[in-house]
Short mmCIF file of all heavy atoms in Angstrom, two decimals:
data_model
loop_
_atom_site.label_atom_id
_atom_site.label_comp_id
_atom_site.label_asym_id
_atom_site.label_seq_id
_atom_site.Cartn_x
_atom_site.Cartn_y
_atom_site.Cartn_z
N PRO A 499 98.29 107.27 103.69
CA PRO A 499 97.51 106.07 104.02
C PRO A 499 96.14 106.42 104.59
O PRO A 499 95.96 107.47 105.22
CB PRO A 499 98.38 105.39 105.08
CG PRO A 499 99.14 106.49 105.72
CD PRO A 499 99.38 107.51 104.64
N ARG A 500 95.20 105.53 104.36
CA ARG A 500 93.90 105.57 105.03
C ARG A 500 94.02 104.61 106.20
O ARG A 500 94.35 103.44 106.01
CB ARG A 500 92.79 105.14 104.08
CG ARG A 500 92.53 106.14 102.97
CD ARG A 500 91.42 105.69 102.02
NE ARG A 500 91.48 104.31 101.57
CZ ARG A 500 92.29 103.84 100.63
NH1 ARG A 500 93.13 104.63 100.03
NH2 ARG A 500 92.25 102.58 100.28
N GLU A 501 93.75 105.10 107.38
CA GLU A 501 93.95 104.31 108.60
C GLU A 501 92.62 103.77 109.12
O GLU A 501 91.63 104.49 109.17
CB GLU A 501 94.59 105.20 109.66
CG GLU A 501 94.81 104.50 110.98
CD GLU A 501 95.52 105.41 111.96
OE1 GLU A 501 96.77 105.43 111.95
OE2 GLU A 501 94.83 106.12 112.71
N THR A 502 92.65 102.50 109.50
CA THR A 502 91.51 101.87 110.15
C THR A 502 92.03 101.19 111.40
O THR A 502 93.02 100.47 111.35
CB THR A 502 90.85 100.82 109.23
OG1 THR A 502 90.51 101.44 107.99
CG2 THR A 502 89.61 100.23 109.87
N ILE A 503 91.36 101.44 112.52
CA ILE A 503 91.74 100.79 113.78
C ILE A 503 90.58 99.93 114.22
O ILE A 503 89.44 100.38 114.29
CB ILE A 503 92.08 101.83 114.86
CG1 ILE A 503 93.21 102.73 114.39
CG2 ILE A 503 92.44 101.14 116.18
CD1 ILE A 503 93.52 103.89 115.32
N ASN A 504 90.88 98.67 114.52
CA ASN A 504 89.87 97.73 114.97
C ASN A 504 90.46 96.89 116.09
O ASN A 504 91.19 95.93 115.84
CB ASN A 504 89.40 96.85 113.81
CG ASN A 504 88.26 95.93 114.19
OD1 ASN A 504 87.74 96.01 115.30
ND2 ASN A 504 87.86 95.08 113.27
N GLY A 505 90.16 97.28 117.33
CA GLY A 505 90.70 96.55 118.47
C GLY A 505 92.21 96.65 118.52
O GLY A 505 92.76 97.73 118.66
N THR A 506 92.89 95.52 118.35
CA THR A 506 94.36 95.48 118.43
C THR A 506 95.03 95.62 117.06
O THR A 506 96.23 95.43 116.95
CB THR A 506 94.83 94.17 119.08
OG1 THR A 506 94.39 93.08 118.25
CG2 THR A 506 94.28 94.00 120.48
N VAL A 507 94.26 95.95 116.03
CA VAL A 507 94.78 96.00 114.67
C VAL A 507 94.68 97.41 114.10
O VAL A 507 93.63 98.05 114.17
CB VAL A 507 94.00 95.02 113.76
CG1 VAL A 507 94.47 95.13 112.31
CG2 VAL A 507 94.14 93.60 114.26
N VAL A 508 95.79 97.88 113.53
CA VAL A 508 95.84 99.14 112.80
C VAL A 508 96.19 98.81 111.36
O VAL A 508 97.23 98.19 111.10
CB VAL A 508 96.89 100.11 113.38
CG1 VAL A 508 96.98 101.38 112.54
CG2 VAL A 508 96.60 100.44 114.83
N THR A 509 95.33 99.20 110.41
CA THR A 509 95.56 98.92 109.00
C THR A 509 95.77 100.23 108.26
O THR A 509 94.99 101.17 108.44
CB THR A 509 94.36 98.17 108.39
OG1 THR A 509 94.14 96.97 109.15
CG2 THR A 509 94.63 97.80 106.94
N CYS A 510 96.80 100.28 107.43
CA CYS A 510 97.13 101.45 106.63
C CYS A 510 97.05 101.05 105.16
O CYS A 510 97.83 100.21 104.72
CB CYS A 510 98.54 101.94 106.96
SG CYS A 510 98.89 102.08 108.73
N GLN A 511 96.11 101.62 104.43
CA GLN A 511 95.94 101.34 103.00
C GLN A 511 96.49 102.52 102.21
O GLN A 511 96.13 103.66 102.49
CB GLN A 511 94.46 101.17 102.65
CG GLN A 511 93.85 99.93 103.22
CD GLN A 511 94.08 98.72 102.33
OE1 GLN A 511 94.77 98.77 101.32
NE2 GLN A 511 93.51 97.61 102.73
N TYR A 512 97.32 102.27 101.22
CA TYR A 512 97.96 103.31 100.43
C TYR A 512 97.45 103.26 99.00
O TYR A 512 97.28 102.19 98.44
CB TYR A 512 99.48 103.11 100.41
CG TYR A 512 100.09 103.07 101.77
CD1 TYR A 512 100.09 101.89 102.51
CD2 TYR A 512 100.65 104.21 102.33
CE1 TYR A 512 100.65 101.85 103.79
CE2 TYR A 512 101.21 104.18 103.60
CZ TYR A 512 101.19 103.00 104.32
OH TYR A 512 101.73 102.96 105.58
N ASP A 513 97.24 104.43 98.41
CA ASP A 513 96.94 104.53 96.99
C ASP A 513 98.24 104.75 96.24
O ASP A 513 99.21 105.26 96.80
CB ASP A 513 95.99 105.71 96.73
CG ASP A 513 94.60 105.47 97.29
OD1 ASP A 513 94.15 104.31 97.30
OD2 ASP A 513 93.97 106.45 97.72
N GLY A 514 98.24 104.40 94.97
CA GLY A 514 99.44 104.57 94.15
C GLY A 514 100.24 103.29 94.11
O GLY A 514 99.86 102.28 94.69
N GLY A 515 101.33 103.33 93.41
CA GLY A 515 102.22 102.17 93.36
C GLY A 515 101.78 101.09 92.40
O GLY A 515 102.43 100.05 92.32
N GLY A 516 100.67 101.29 91.69
CA GLY A 516 100.24 100.32 90.69
C GLY A 516 99.48 99.12 91.22
O GLY A 516 98.76 98.49 90.49
N ALA A 517 99.64 98.76 92.47
CA ALA A 517 98.94 97.63 93.06
C ALA A 517 98.49 98.02 94.46
O ALA A 517 98.94 99.02 95.01
CB ALA A 517 99.85 96.40 93.13
N SER A 518 97.63 97.25 95.02
CA SER A 518 97.18 97.51 96.38
C SER A 518 98.35 97.35 97.35
O SER A 518 99.06 96.35 97.32
CB SER A 518 96.06 96.53 96.74
OG SER A 518 95.66 96.73 98.08
N THR A 519 98.56 98.36 98.18
CA THR A 519 99.63 98.32 99.16
C THR A 519 99.03 98.54 100.54
O THR A 519 98.26 99.47 100.75
CB THR A 519 100.70 99.39 98.87
OG1 THR A 519 101.21 99.17 97.55
CG2 THR A 519 101.83 99.33 99.87
N MET A 520 99.40 97.66 101.48
CA MET A 520 98.85 97.72 102.83
C MET A 520 99.92 97.38 103.84
O MET A 520 100.75 96.49 103.62
CB MET A 520 97.69 96.73 102.97
CG MET A 520 97.12 96.65 104.38
SD MET A 520 95.75 95.50 104.57
CE MET A 520 96.53 93.94 104.32
N VAL A 521 99.90 98.09 104.97
CA VAL A 521 100.69 97.75 106.14
C VAL A 521 99.70 97.54 107.27
O VAL A 521 98.80 98.36 107.47
CB VAL A 521 101.69 98.87 106.51
CG1 VAL A 521 102.36 98.57 107.84
CG2 VAL A 521 102.73 99.03 105.42
N ARG A 522 99.86 96.44 107.98
CA ARG A 522 98.95 96.11 109.08
C ARG A 522 99.77 95.81 110.32
O ARG A 522 100.68 94.99 110.28
CB ARG A 522 98.12 94.89 108.68
CG ARG A 522 97.14 94.41 109.71
CD ARG A 522 96.42 93.17 109.15
NE ARG A 522 95.57 92.53 110.10
CZ ARG A 522 95.95 91.59 110.95
NH1 ARG A 522 97.21 91.18 110.96
NH2 ARG A 522 95.11 91.06 111.80
N PHE A 523 99.44 96.52 111.40
CA PHE A 523 100.07 96.27 112.69
C PHE A 523 99.07 95.55 113.58
O PHE A 523 97.89 95.91 113.59
CB PHE A 523 100.43 97.58 113.40
CG PHE A 523 101.42 98.44 112.68
CD1 PHE A 523 101.00 99.46 111.84
CD2 PHE A 523 102.79 98.26 112.87
CE1 PHE A 523 101.90 100.28 111.20
CE2 PHE A 523 103.70 99.08 112.22
CZ PHE A 523 103.26 100.09 111.38
N GLN A 524 99.52 94.55 114.31
CA GLN A 524 98.67 93.91 115.30
C GLN A 524 99.43 93.83 116.61
O GLN A 524 100.56 93.32 116.64
CB GLN A 524 98.23 92.51 114.87
CG GLN A 524 97.30 91.88 115.89
CD GLN A 524 96.61 90.65 115.37
OE1 GLN A 524 96.61 90.38 114.17
NE2 GLN A 524 95.99 89.90 116.25
N THR A 525 98.82 94.36 117.65
CA THR A 525 99.44 94.30 118.97
C THR A 525 98.89 93.09 119.71
O THR A 525 97.95 92.44 119.27
CB THR A 525 99.15 95.58 119.77
OG1 THR A 525 97.73 95.73 119.93
CG2 THR A 525 99.71 96.81 119.06
N LYS A 526 99.51 92.78 120.82
CA LYS A 526 99.11 91.65 121.67
C LYS A 526 99.16 90.33 120.91
O LYS A 526 98.33 89.46 121.10
CB LYS A 526 97.73 91.88 122.28
CG LYS A 526 97.66 93.11 123.16
CD LYS A 526 96.33 93.25 123.81
CE LYS A 526 96.32 94.47 124.71
NZ LYS A 526 95.05 94.67 125.38
N SER A 527 100.16 90.17 120.05
CA SER A 527 100.34 88.94 119.30
C SER A 527 101.35 88.06 120.04
O SER A 527 102.31 88.56 120.61
CB SER A 527 100.86 89.25 117.89
OG SER A 527 101.01 88.07 117.14
N ASP A 528 101.12 86.77 120.02
CA ASP A 528 102.09 85.83 120.58
C ASP A 528 102.30 84.72 119.56
O ASP A 528 101.69 84.72 118.49
CB ASP A 528 101.64 85.29 121.94
CG ASP A 528 100.30 84.55 121.90
OD1 ASP A 528 99.84 84.16 120.80
OD2 ASP A 528 99.70 84.37 122.97
N ALA A 529 103.17 83.77 119.87
CA ALA A 529 103.51 82.71 118.91
C ALA A 529 102.28 81.90 118.50
O ALA A 529 102.13 81.56 117.33
CB ALA A 529 104.59 81.80 119.49
N ALA A 530 101.38 81.62 119.45
CA ALA A 530 100.19 80.82 119.12
C ALA A 530 99.25 81.59 118.19
O ALA A 530 98.75 81.03 117.21
CB ALA A 530 99.47 80.42 120.41
#
């Protein structure tokens, strides 16, 4: 993965798999 960190968000972009694949973590999230 190519990692990008922006504040409370970590984004992981993956090559391969035929389509764009991404995992995104966000900390400090609440129901609202």
Side-chain angles (χ1 to χ4, degrees):
R500 291 179 314 282
E501 179 176 272
T502 305
I503 301 173
N504 185 5
T506 62
V507 176
V508 176
T509 304
C510 313
Q511 291 275 5
Y512 303 83
D513 291 327
S518 177
T519 302
M520 176 179 67
V521 172
R522 179 181 173 272
F523 298 94
Q524 182 167 346
T525 60
K526 299 184 179 180
S527 181
D528 60 17

